[in-house]
Amino acid sequence: HLAGESITSGPWTQNRKNKILNSRIEGTRLLCSKLTELDRPPKVLLCASGIHYYPFIGGEEFDELGPSGVGFLCDVCKSWEKMTKFATKKGIRVINLRFGVVLSPKGGALAVMLPIFKCGLGGRLGQGKQYMSWIAIDDVVGIIDHCLLDDQLTGPVNVCAPESVTNIDFTRTLGEVLRRPTILPLPEVVVKILFGQMGRETLLADFRIIPRKLLKRNFTFRSE
């Protein structure tokens, strides 16, 4: 279950924030309610969530036992995961997939970045010291498959690579791969002016998340 209003499709007006939150809460509640009514409900439910569940400042490492943070997206993640309890009570094995930044040239954050960087207009965001917990799209598919088949996995699972990278390192690497300069930084104050709360909780957020459960279950990452 991956459905929900996009968090980056427009400014975070109160109306849009309501859509982001309610699309996840109501959709998940409806799905879980219908699953519990089945004579033969599925054995497992994988439901999307995000690493925004955790605190997003300071560069401190957190695994699945880490505390919840504060902020709009944190509240969204907590409310989203709470709705899956209806399925858990029915005996369905529920996994809350706490996604990091999914990298794919065909969509998501990387697809937005590529045209900018290819034009030589890319650069670090703010000081560039904030960590980004990322995951390649091929590993996302592998993790989903692994979670479906591994009966020992339940509850939150961090869907991110074992090693996070700083924004400045990611920017430099992307520039080297594309053979383009990355000399046009976007200062923190400009990010906040242009993107407001969304910029603070996404572009400037400092996430260093460890996929502890997957590592313990010997999942092999293709991209690290």
Side-chain angles (χ1 to χ4, degrees), residues 33-195:
S33 175
K34 294 301 181 181
L35 290 179
T36 60
E37 294 173 2
L38 297 175
D39 292 332
R40 298 177 61 188
K43 294 181 179 180
V44 58
L45 168 65
L46 273 55
C47 183
S49 182
I51 60 171
H52 290 86
Y53 174 93
Y54 304 103
F56 61 88
I57 56 174
E60 185 176 351
E61 291 185 341
F62 295 110
D63 61 15
E64 287 86 354
L65 296 178
S68 61
V70 295
F72 171 65
L73 289 181
C74 175
D75 292 340
V76 168
C77 290
K78 288 191 291 186
S79 298
W80 201 356
E81 294 183 11
K82 185 178 180 179
M83 290 300 102
T84 63
K85 300 301 181 184
F86 295 104
T88 302
K89 291 179 180 179
K90 183 67 174 180
I92 299 172
R93 179 170 64 90
V94 173
I95 292 180
N96 304 107
L97 298 167
R98 292 178 178 169
F99 288 103
V101 178
V102 179
L103 297 182
S104 167
K106 296 183 179 180
L110 187 57
V112 175
M113 295 178 197
L114 283 177
I116 299 172
F117 276 75
K118 285 180 178 178
C119 293
L121 301 177
R124 60 176 168 79
L125 299 173
Q127 295 296 314
K129 297 179 181 179
Q130 68 273 24
Y131 277 89
M132 180 180 79
S133 292
W134 62 281
I135 186 72
I137 187 64
D138 288 347
D139 278 330
V140 170
V141 176
I143 290 169
I144 289 174
D145 183 62
H146 186 90
C147 289
L148 285 171
L149 299 176
D150 190 341
D151 291 339
Q152 299 302 309
L153 282 173
T154 187
V157 172
N158 292 332
V159 184
C160 54
E163 296 291 337
S164 301
V165 296
T166 62
N167 175 259
I168 197 167
D169 286 338
F170 176 81
T171 299
R172 183 187 301 115
T173 300
L174 185 55
E176 290 174 353
V177 170
L178 297 175
R179 298 181 180 179
R180 293 292 188 273
T182 54
I183 57 175
L184 296 175
L186 194 61
E188 182 174 330
V189 64
V190 177
V191 173
K192 291 179 178 179
I193 291 173
L194 292 177
F195 302 103

